[in-house]
Amino acid sequence: MNRAIRILRDEHRSLSAVLHGLRHLAKASQDAHARPRFEVFRAMIRYIDEFPERLHHPKEDAYLFERLAARAPETAALIEALRAEHLESAQRVRRLERALDEYERCWPLWSGPFVSVVEDYAEFHRRHMQREELELLPAAERALTAEDWRAIEAAFAGNEDPIADLREQDLAQLYTRIVSMAPAPIGVGARWDKAPG
Ligand SMILES: [Fe+2]
Ligand SMILES: [Fe+2]
């Protein structure tokens, strides 16, 4: 497996970890007698919004999809569908944010709708990543040349984008904050029944 593919797969794992945490805590909040710390949900949703938008999708859209479309026209329909899902993903995050606002305003009511919007988003993204890993990346491995991969890896390393490193650091900090705030088994934060308001 080349470095560019490893980076994309690693990014999928990071996003999956936060999605798993969000699903777990959303469900747990239905049984809890304590008020959830809504800022944990907010930080997770911010990560789910910014990680793909700022770090991950640009790598796919601008570099990998672009080159693959040129080398393997038979992948055009797949690439078009994945690009459309990138746009849809941003709209779905807005739905998540609205559901969280409602939940916070109406707690302890409205946990059911929040959980179902979370489940919906997680399933949408799981299917998207699975399609990339099972269809797109194998097609790219077959069609792209060593020269293509060198160019893609250089672009992924941020050589053409001076603020890529800053974005990466920002998101790493946000990830650390999520882990420090979320209660076990997701993170190391205080339990919600002991947390303030
Ligand atoms: Fe994608
Ligand atoms: Fe992806």
Side-chain angles (χ1 to χ4, degrees):
M1 188 189 301
N2 71 49
R3 206 173 121 68
I5 290 186
R6 207 164 51 240
I7 289 172
L8 291 175
R9 284 179 181 271
D10 282 352
E11 290 182 358
H12 285 177
R13 300 291 89 79
S14 303
L15 193 56
S16 298
V18 177
L19 284 171
H20 168 77
L22 177 62
R23 289 180 65 204
H24 181 95
L25 293 181
K27 276 195 208 135
S29 79
Q30 288 190 289
D31 300 331
H33 298 295
R35 185 181 169 86
R37 289 184 69 189
F38 284 96
E39 67 267 34
V40 179
F41 288 135
R42 220 165 284 289
M44 286 174 151
I45 292 175
R46 201 182 127 213
Y47 188 90
I48 285 163
D49 186 24
E50 294 193 3
F51 187 90
E53 289 301 310
R54 296 169 69 190
L55 202 71
H56 184 71
H57 292 164
K59 288 191 179 86
E60 294 174 340
D61 285 328
Y63 305 113
L64 183 63
F65 291 1
E66 201 71 15
R67 286 203 173 235
L68 184 57
R71 294 274 182 216
E74 69 278 11
T75 60
L78 172 63
I79 289 174
E80 198 183 322
L82 293 171
R83 280 190 196 278
E85 285 177 357
H86 288 175
L87 297 175
E88 191 184 338
S89 159
Q91 290 158 9
R92 283 173 174 267
V93 172
R94 302 285 86 78
R95 210 182 299 162
L96 262 179
E97 288 168 342
R98 283 197 300 275
L100 177 62
D101 287 346
E102 277 300 278
Y103 186 25
E104 184 166 15
R105 202 167 56 80
C106 302
W107 184 87
L109 302 176
W110 220 256
S111 66
F114 178 63
V115 169
S116 87
V117 174
V118 165
E119 289 292 329
D120 234 41
Y121 183 84
E123 179 56 19
F124 163 79
H125 225 100
R126 188 191 64 75
R127 267 189 280 115
H128 175 79
M129 292 187 287
Q130 190 180 49
R131 211 168 168 200
E132 289 179 340
E133 296 196 10
L134 297 182
E135 297 178 47
L136 193 278
L137 295 179
E141 275 186 302
R142 285 193 299 272
L144 297 185
T145 64
E147 167 56 30
D148 288 328
W149 288 116
R150 265 196 299 280
I152 290 169
E153 282 170 17
F156 280 15
N159 297 358
E160 293 167 16
D161 181 354
I163 61 165
D165 266 2
L166 286 177
R167 281 201 300 258
E168 205 143 345
Q169 281 169 28
D170 266 9
L171 284 158
Q173 275 173 14
L174 179 57
Y175 191 90
T176 307
R177 216 178 117 233
I178 289 169
V179 172
S180 70
M181 287 194 306
I186 301 304
V188 294
R191 284 171 50 155
W192 282 344
D193 56 357
K194 291 182 186 160

